[in-house]
Amino acid sequence: MVLKVSDRCDLCNGNAAAPILELPPHTIVRCTVCGLVYVIPRPTPAELAALYDEAYFRGTGPVGYRPDEDYIGNDSRLELFIERTAAVERYRRPPGVLVDVGCATGFALRAARDRGWDCLGIDVSEFAVNFAREHYGLNVVKGTLREAAIPSESVDALTMWDLLEHVPSPRQECVEANRVLKPGGVLALATPDADSPCPSPETCDPAKAAFWQAKPPEHIHYFSPATISRLLAETGFYVVNLTSYGPGDCRLGAMEVYALKVRALPGQQDER
């Protein structure tokens, strides 16, 4: 299928894609040029931001966490973010500035603050931002990474845990991450692995049999190890570790990537 301009691939700007799955009003497609899997039509930034209200986090809305997950109250999640922050520190150690984009209610920030990082969190959810401030005293701002207007080359580590699948343009997000990171700074992220096989086909939602990871409208981009590596290379990063998780791990179906800023991008050095 030939795509209109607004539906072009965010990774390669390709204008042709093959449909994988229909979940009206959304279609999951695979770019026939680079292989990126994504949703058309893409929700607008305002539509995406509206998803992340209190009901999303408490499991009482049409999208978001399940009620039995107890996302907000389940402090066992801190263990995962302590592990992730320790992984970041293989490449950059505190003291230093760590920015968590898509910080939600602050699990990653709490873990990083306790390990000596000077932390800033950013999230589009007004509920999550207020919760992180009021309950944990975290330094959090509402908006996007670009809207936060962080000075160029002022950040030591930037994390995007379960973020890129949610944003309108992962490329723009990584370009901005490159701008704010110091040379050699760490970009760490987690995102679903589009190549991960369904762990239990017999219990898979029949409507998603063709692509079990599909979760529109909140997840709109689905990266594989190949496509995420291409995105990071093209935005000035060198991948030092990429791990996909299978059965037996709480991160089943996801991958974690750690990359270093190895080059600045043209026009990215202007101070804000």
Side-chain angles (χ1 to χ4, degrees), residues 26 47-48 50-66 215-219:
H26 307 287
E47 289 170 338
L48 287 170
L51 296 175
Y52 307 112
D53 56 8
E54 183 172 357
Y56 179 94
F57 293 97
R58 295 200 183 276
T60 57
V63 296
Y65 295 95
R66 301 187 311 271
K215 199 179 179 183
E218 52 183 307
H219 290 185

Side-chain angles (χ1 to χ4, degrees), residues 243-256:
T243 303
S244 292
Y245 294 93
D249 193 284
C250 67
R251 291 161 285 191
L252 171 67
M255 57 181 168
E256 288 183 8

Side-chain angles (χ1 to χ4, degrees), residues 213-232:
Q213 295 269 34
K215 199 179 179 183
E218 52 183 307
H219 290 185
I220 52 180
H221 291 95
Y222 304 85
F223 289 91
S224 66
T227 53
I228 195 67
S229 295
R230 174 174 173 173
L231 173 64
L232 293 174

Side-chain angles (χ1 to χ4, degrees), residues 83-101:
E83 178 184 333
R84 285 173 165 174
T85 307
V88 168
E89 291 169 6
R90 297 173 193 160
Y91 312 106
R92 200 83 164 198
R93 298 184 63 83
V97 176
L98 182 148
V99 174
D100 184 34
V101 188

Side-chain angles (χ1 to χ4, degrees), residues 169-238:
S169 175
R171 176 175 288 277
Q172 290 180 12
E173 209 74 24
C174 290
V175 166
E176 186 67 1
N178 178 289
R179 186 188 68 79
V180 304
L181 277 166
K182 297 176 181 178
V186 184
L187 173 62
L189 63 91
T191 193
D193 180 355
D195 284 352
S196 176
C198 182
S200 53
E202 66 281 357
T203 60
C204 180
D205 181 350
K208 299 180 181 180
F211 187 64
W212 75 281
Q213 295 269 34
K215 199 179 179 183
E218 52 183 307
H219 290 185
I220 52 180
H221 291 95
Y222 304 85
F223 289 91
S224 66
T227 53
I228 195 67
S229 295
R230 174 174 173 173
L231 173 64
L232 293 174
E234 291 180 355
T235 53
F237 296 96
Y238 176 76

Side-chain angles (χ1 to χ4, degrees), residues 25-242:
H26 307 287
T27 302
I28 313 295
V29 301
R30 186 185 303 275
C31 176
T32 56
V33 179
C34 71
L36 179 67
V37 177
Y38 62 101
V39 171
I40 59 172
R42 293 183 182 92
T44 67
E47 289 170 338
L48 287 170
L51 296 175
Y52 307 112
D53 56 8
E54 183 172 357
Y56 179 94
F57 293 97
R58 295 200 183 276
T60 57
V63 296
Y65 295 95
R66 301 187 311 271
D68 62 302
E69 288 184 273
D70 188 22
Y71 174 81
I72 292 175
N74 184 4
D75 258 11
S76 66
R77 292 178 185 272
L78 268 176
E79 298 174 10
L80 172 61
F81 290 102
I82 291 169
E83 178 184 333
R84 285 173 165 174
T85 307
V88 168
E89 291 169 6
R90 297 173 193 160
Y91 312 106
R92 200 83 164 198
R93 298 184 63 83
V97 176
L98 182 148
V99 174
D100 184 34
V101 188
C103 65
T105 56
F107 285 105
L109 293 171
R110 292 163 62 195
R113 182 177 62 181
D114 288 349
R115 296 178 68 87
W117 289 95
D118 180 8
C119 298
L120 170 67
I122 304 168
D123 204 284
V124 298
S125 168
E126 184 173 3
F127 167 76
V129 166
N130 289 337
F131 190 96
R133 289 172 179 163
E134 294 167 7
H135 287 77
Y136 304 117
L138 294 166
N139 180 21
V140 183
V141 297
K142 181 180 180 294
T144 66
L145 174 57
R146 184 167 183 80
E147 289 168 348
I150 298 170
S152 297
E153 297 193 344
S154 63
V155 175
D156 297 281
L158 189 144
T159 57
M160 297 178 175
W161 304 124
D162 305 298
L163 173 80
L164 285 186
E165 64 270 24
H166 294 265
V167 300
S169 175
R171 176 175 288 277
Q172 290 180 12
E173 209 74 24
C174 290
V175 166
E176 186 67 1
N178 178 289
R179 186 188 68 79
V180 304
L181 277 166
K182 297 176 181 178
V186 184
L187 173 62
L189 63 91
T191 193
D193 180 355
D195 284 352
S196 176
C198 182
S200 53
E202 66 281 357
T203 60
C204 180
D205 181 350
K208 299 180 181 180
F211 187 64
W212 75 281
Q213 295 269 34
K215 199 179 179 183
E218 52 183 307
H219 290 185
I220 52 180
H221 291 95
Y222 304 85
F223 289 91
S224 66
T227 53
I228 195 67
S229 295
R230 174 174 173 173
L231 173 64
L232 293 174
E234 291 180 355
T235 53
F237 296 96
Y238 176 76
V239 174
V240 290
N241 186 277
L242 189 157

